Amino acid sequence: MRWEERYVSVVYEGGHSLFFQRFVQATDATSLVIVSPWIQSLDDEALSLRDILWTIQKCGVPTTVIMRSPDKEPLNRSSVVLFEGSPFVTLYYNNELHAKVYVCRCQPFGFALLGSANLSGRATRALEIGLMVEGKGAGRRVIEELETLGKEDIPNRAGTVLRKLVPDRHIS
Amino acid sequence: MDVTTMELRDYCCLNRPRFRVDPESDAEWYFGNRQVSEELLSRIRSDFDIRGIPKCGLIGRFGDGKTHTLYHIKHLFETESENYPAICFVLGLAPYDERIPDLGGWRYIHGKILDAMGEAFLRQVVQDFDRLPGDRTSDLSEEMGKVFRFGDENLKKSLANVLSGYFLRETKSTLPAWQWLRGSKLEKGSAAQDLAATKSLDNAEDMINVIMNVGNLVRRTCDKGIVFLMDEAQALADVSKRDVEIHHAFLQLASDYNQDVGMVIAYFGAGVQQVPKVLAQPPDILSRLGVTQQNIDEAFINLIRVINTKDDVRSFIDSLLAGMKDEERAKQRIEEAGLTGKVTWQDLPFTEDAIARAVEVLYQNEQTRNARMIINELARAAAAAYHRGKATGQYVLVDVSLLDAVTQRL
């Protein structure tokens, strides 16, 4: 199989952890999309949400987060507090959300995780399955499509509510 | 009309799922400065007359519409075949990296060319050739070999055997044939023997000869050439150790002897002088394209001028907004929301003042004066109005203040 054809692999263990380990080491990350119904602070994990947000802040990565509202899912409260404190995060709620998609655009090409794992501590230990897509060869279109899904398609659906824009997009 | 339950496409009455232009599905669109597209098409038409097939290029920055232009050319070739008698294939040349064996050298580009044509096309060509009328006395392979003009007799015979043996009927796997066409080494065995190839494709010259011979075959079967629309050719700037073979392969394509296989090369850059060195040095390729470094812009059209003046920006925005709108639904929405007189169906959800401001803001910076950035900013402004509308339950238009808020970071 040629190099650019090897653009997808199955992730059997660790849920989302492989994706975020790669994100914090990514070169010139320009965009991060997190789509997960349940998001927790991951305080007891090797890589916590604070660590992820620190990388977002340090590298100035425009980030779009779509999750269920904490009014419907109280477990999401701690993460919402953290997201609201980050100037680089645009936050949406959609209470019908069930997809779990994580996309990072960086050099030399982006990568994405599409699977069953929520961004929660439990997901790193539970039986989760995912596909890690590399943005090379045919995978490039997949990454672009998944990024558009997170940045435009789900945000522009009827059931999605804008919670917070990043300050430079703030609409008074 | 309940704004809170609308999706963006309903809110803006779009005739598509997204506030986006897709290079492939919107290939018929071509907005902006008509002079540039006329220059490009004029070059392509004159290439048909002078060189038998288009051999030229285009240059643009990110967002200027290189990919869209290539698909637009493909669209024209498909819909106006009387003016553009060629079959087009789009392929991307990136990534190119000689440190990774699979990603460097002409073999890599040759593989992309073959993939762009694909099995169905090759099969069709072989079957059409087999159906050509005439008093055929020899077998298909022998007849085919007579059509080929490039390479030695062994190469012509091998190619004819492979094409006629594997692509005429769908009775066996074409994998060995593809391995041979790609220049891969075949393992000894029945498949290798079955190919009846007396020569393998050892070097770039053999590979480019195969492609040009396929061009001969297409010309013979349907009196058309084939043109490869090569996107992301800035990747060729990374050619180093393999520059001799890649330069030679492009030189063969540019040669006057080749009138059946063309190329339109699109690469990233701010000026025509940034043509990748492997194409420009030595200048024999440029010479075959009829230009020198001094008048290179005659062969490599600069897309930066597609949206170059305020009028171009305005014209692009007007065409874009009207083109992606469902007219009936937009008129109905204006009536339902009581917006008559405040906005036109073409502009919805933008007020006239907001569009005028968008032209000013986007024109002021060269980085935002391109198709992608204009679409991005209009999409962001429309989404901002949509979310504000959902929050308030009212239809919110994009007015000057909302547009300013969205574009203030530019």
Side-chain angles (χ1 to χ4, degrees):
Chain A
M1 190 182 281
R2 286 176 295 156
W3 179 85
E4 74 266 29
E5 288 172 351
R6 296 190 293 264
Y7 67 87
V8 64
S9 57
V10 182
V11 178
Y12 295 98
E13 291 178 343
H16 50 73
S17 54
L18 177 62
F19 175 89
F20 284 103
Q21 280 164 16
R22 284 184 59 174
F23 167 69
V24 297
Q25 296 173 49
T27 305
D28 295 338
T30 54
S31 164
L32 176 68
V33 171
I34 299 173
V35 178
S36 172
W38 290 275
I39 302 181
Q40 295 170 2
S41 57
L42 311 176
D43 285 338
D44 297 328
E45 301 300 316
L47 195 62
S48 71
L49 190 56
R50 281 186 177 80
D51 296 329
I52 296 167
L53 285 166
W54 185 82
T55 303
I56 290 170
Q57 177 106 6
K58 184 186 71 164
C59 304
V61 185
T63 301
T64 301
V65 178
I66 309 174
M67 60 193 293
R68 291 191 182 183
S69 161
D71 295 338
K72 182 176 171 68
E73 307 292 349
L75 286 174
N76 283 348
R77 280 220 170 92
S78 59
S79 64
V80 166
V81 171
L82 293 173
F83 286 137
E84 291 192 332
S86 171
F88 294 95
V89 173
T90 297
L91 181 61
Y92 297 94
Y93 295 150
N94 184 318
N95 288 337
E96 302 300 316
L97 188 68
H98 201 254
K100 292 91 178 171
V101 182
Y102 308 89
V103 187
C104 172
R105 294 295 290 267
C106 59
Q107 292 297 324
F109 41 76
F111 55 93
L113 178 72
L114 176 69
S116 61
N118 286 294
L119 186 49
S120 66
R122 181 176 159 72
T124 61
R125 292 176 291 278
L127 182 73
E128 308 279 4
I129 292 289
L131 289 177
M132 184 70 87
V133 183
E134 312 289 344
K136 59 185 181 182
R140 199 175 83 170
R141 288 290 291 269
V142 179
I143 299 290
E144 289 171 0
E145 192 71 20
L146 290 175
E147 186 188 30
T148 307
L149 175 97
K151 290 174 101 170
E152 292 184 20
D153 291 354
I154 301 178
N156 292 334
R157 287 181 70 95
T160 306
V161 175
L162 175 65
R163 167 67 187 174
K164 155 184 168 307
L165 282 169
V166 294
D168 68 358
R169 292 177 60 185
H170 181 68
I171 311 302
S172 58
Chain B
M1 185 193 77
D2 182 1
V3 172
T4 60
T5 59
M6 281 185 194
E7 308 209 341
L8 181 74
R9 66 172 296 183
D10 303 320
Y11 193 83
C12 298
C13 302
L14 303 178
N15 57 12
R16 59 197 51 232
R18 296 171 181 158
F19 201 110
R20 287 280 156 207
V21 173
D22 179 67
E24 205 168 342
S25 54
D26 293 318
E28 79 277 17
W29 287 6
Y30 206 78
F31 310 147
N33 189 323
R34 302 303 304 177
Q35 188 189 337
V36 181
S37 56
E38 272 311 309
E39 279 176 26
L40 177 62
L41 297 180
S42 159
R43 167 75 195 197
I44 287 174
R45 282 192 294 262
S46 76
D47 274 358
F48 274 115
D49 297 333
I50 298 168
R51 295 174 180 81
I53 196 81
K55 297 171 186 178
C56 57
L58 44 100
I59 182 168
R61 301 157 307 176
F62 289 121
D64 274 343
K66 296 183 291 298
T67 305
H68 192 133
T69 304
L70 293 181
Y71 278 104
H72 181 65
I73 292 171
K74 185 170 190 279
H75 168 78
L76 290 176
F77 277 44
E78 287 168 355
T79 55
E80 298 178 27
S81 56
E82 67 282 6
N83 295 327
Y84 307 102
I87 298 164
C88 286
F89 300 99
V90 179
L91 60 132
L93 296 182
Y96 181 94
D97 190 341
E98 290 177 5
R99 292 169 302 179
I100 301 172
D102 286 354
L103 283 183
W106 182 257
R107 187 185 300 272
Y108 167 64
I109 297 171
H110 175 73
K112 283 183 170 274
I113 288 174
L114 287 171
D115 285 343
M117 288 194 289
E119 179 166 336
F121 174 74
L122 284 183
R123 201 177 278 290
Q124 188 66 47
V125 173
V126 173
Q127 290 172 349
D128 287 350
F129 183 76
D130 186 50
R131 281 195 289 265
L132 283 178
D135 301 325
R136 209 168 87 195
T137 52
S138 51
D139 69 8
L140 179 65
S141 171
E142 208 175 317
E143 287 291 317
M144 206 179 267
K146 292 176 192 168
V147 174
F148 298 152
R149 294 175 40 227
F150 297 97
D152 57 39
E153 288 308 311
N154 256 349
L155 178 84
K156 292 178 189 172
K157 187 177 175 191
S158 299
L159 177 60
N161 284 343
V162 168
L163 290 180
S164 59
Y166 281 80
F167 292 92
L168 180 63
R169 296 188 178 83
E170 296 182 43
T171 52
K172 54 187 172 184
S173 164
T174 55
L175 187 60
W178 279 108
Q179 285 179 320
W180 184 86
L181 286 167
R182 285 183 195 286
S184 306
K185 292 279 178 242
L186 288 172
E187 291 176 12
K188 287 180 180 171
S190 59
Q193 286 177 1
D194 194 33
L195 275 171
T198 53
K199 181 184 177 84
S200 57
L201 307 187
D202 293 326
N203 53 50
E205 178 147 5
D206 289 339
M207 292 177 203
I208 197 66
N209 283 335
V210 160
I211 300 299
M212 293 194 296
N213 283 333
V214 170
N216 297 156
L217 198 61
V218 174
R219 177 71 73 191
R220 178 75 181 83
T221 55
C222 63
D223 198 24
K224 286 184 177 180
I226 47 180
V227 176
F228 295 103
L229 307 174
M230 299 179 176
D231 204 359
E232 299 167 331
Q234 68 275 6
L236 296 176
D238 294 331
V239 173
S240 57
K241 290 179 184 169
R242 315 294 289 272
D243 61 337
V244 173
E245 67 173 64
I246 291 182
H247 181 88
H248 183 69
F250 276 107
L251 184 63
Q252 297 293 99
L253 281 177
S255 149
D256 293 342
Y257 298 112
N258 164 40
Q259 300 193 349
D260 296 338
V261 180
M263 57 185 170
V264 179
I265 301 170
Y267 63 97
F268 167 80
V272 287
Q273 300 301 332
Q274 289 175 329
V275 57
K277 194 175 162 209
V278 70
L279 297 176
Q281 296 293 335
D284 45 4
I285 293 177
L286 297 184
S287 164
R288 279 160 180 75
L289 301 184
V291 294
T292 64
Q293 283 287 357
Q294 279 64 48
N295 66 343
I296 193 171
D297 56 345
E298 289 176 20
F300 290 85
I301 309 298
N302 195 339
L303 295 185
I304 197 169
R305 294 170 298 128
V306 170
I307 300 177
N308 205 30
T309 65
K310 276 189 189 177
D311 285 346
D312 295 338
V313 177
R314 177 73 205 210
S315 149
F316 181 86
I317 291 176
D318 287 344
S319 306
L320 175 81
L321 289 177
M324 55 169 52
K325 209 63 54 65
D326 180 328
E327 182 179 345
E328 288 309 308
R329 285 173 58 210
K331 286 177 176 171
Q332 191 183 341
R333 180 76 69 239
I334 289 171
E335 200 176 317
E336 285 172 354
L339 297 171
T340 309
K342 295 179 182 171
V343 65
T344 65
W345 71 264
Q346 294 96 329
D347 293 348
L348 189 75
F350 294 85
T351 64
E352 169 58 30
D353 289 349
I355 292 178
R357 179 62 67 91
V359 172
E360 291 293 329
V361 171
L362 294 166
Y363 176 76
Q364 70 187 0
N365 184 339
E366 198 175 281
Q367 303 299 318
T368 60
R369 203 185 305 154
N370 68 58
R372 185 180 298 154
M373 285 302 290
I374 292 172
I375 296 168
N376 269 347
E377 293 311 309
L378 295 182
R380 287 162 66 107
Y386 162 70
H387 282 289
R388 187 191 269 190
K390 276 207 301 191
T392 61
Q394 303 286 318
Y395 196 101
V396 175
L397 293 172
V398 179
D399 57 14
V400 172
S401 65
L402 184 55
L403 189 98
D404 283 347
V406 172
T407 58
Q408 64 181 324
R409 78 199 190 294
L410 296 177

